[in-house]
Amino acid sequence: MWTNWRRFSRQTLNWCPESPGVYYIRWLNKRGKPAPIGRILGTDPDGTLYIGMTGKGRASGLCNRLWTFWDKASGRQGAHSGAKRFLRNLSEHASIDDLEYCHRQVANRKEALRVEKECLRHYEKKWGELPPLNSAGVKE
């Protein structure tokens, strides 16, 4: 089951689990609603910027991965490829305060990989391309 959407903050990130899982990051407009994003096959009304996954534990669970995104997208240290693309391509138009995330816990890394692949395939089939901050295609 997916969580509700949450704004990035110390308070919300402190409630994230250290379990494996999959997460979405989306862009909000100035009214706090999802920002529509033009895609090849139409407009994504949900503002999806990134779909990712992570393993288990303090070094690689959902909590750590979302903190890493937040740190890097805020201009601090961090090694998150989606956050690097956010800084490079969108930081003139949006800040970390304009982003939200939701996540889904799963049993293990293998399941996280399966769910992420399923989510990326669905997005790519619907919109003709991956979310803007994702770089890798769906591996067969």
Side-chain angles (χ1 to χ4, degrees):
M1 185 155 123
W2 293 92
T3 64
N4 292 327
W5 288 99
R6 300 171 178 156
R7 296 268 184 141
F8 278 90
S9 72
R10 290 185 190 284
Q11 184 178 16
T12 61
L13 290 172
N14 281 334
W15 286 97
C16 283
E18 293 178 1
S19 65
V22 177
Y23 59 97
Y24 278 71
I25 295 173
R26 74 177 178 184
W27 188 3
L28 302 177
N29 64 24
K30 297 302 177 200
R31 295 183 316 273
K33 303 291 183 194
I37 299 174
R39 311 306 293 150
I40 290 173
L41 298 179
T43 300
D44 171 9
D46 298 322
T48 304
L49 289 175
Y50 189 81
I51 300 170
M53 61 78 58
T54 188
K56 180 181 178 182
R58 289 187 68 77
S60 62
L62 280 163
C63 183
N64 181 276
R65 195 67 179 142
L66 289 165
W67 272 98
T68 301
F69 182 94
W70 187 51
D71 282 341
K72 186 64 180 176
S74 298
R76 295 185 289 271
Q77 295 294 326
H80 192 290
S81 60
K84 288 178 188 177
R85 279 187 290 288
F86 173 79
L87 283 175
R88 189 171 52 241
N89 301 320
L90 292 175
S91 61
E92 292 181 22
H93 309 285
S95 75
I96 190 69
D97 296 330
D98 300 321
L99 304 182
E100 283 184 323
Y101 68 91
C102 71
H103 61 79
R104 175 179 165 186
Q105 294 181 67
V106 297
N108 53 49
R109 181 175 173 78
K110 183 177 179 181
E111 181 70 2
L113 284 165
R114 186 193 67 73
V115 172
E116 179 198 36
K117 183 187 235 182
E118 180 181 292
C119 292
L120 287 168
R121 276 194 179 138
H122 175 77
Y123 188 94
E124 189 172 29
K125 182 176 182 181
K126 186 172 185 176
W127 302 114
E129 58 189 314
L130 293 172
L133 301 182
N134 282 89
S135 63
V138 179
K139 294 178 177 57
E140 297 302 321

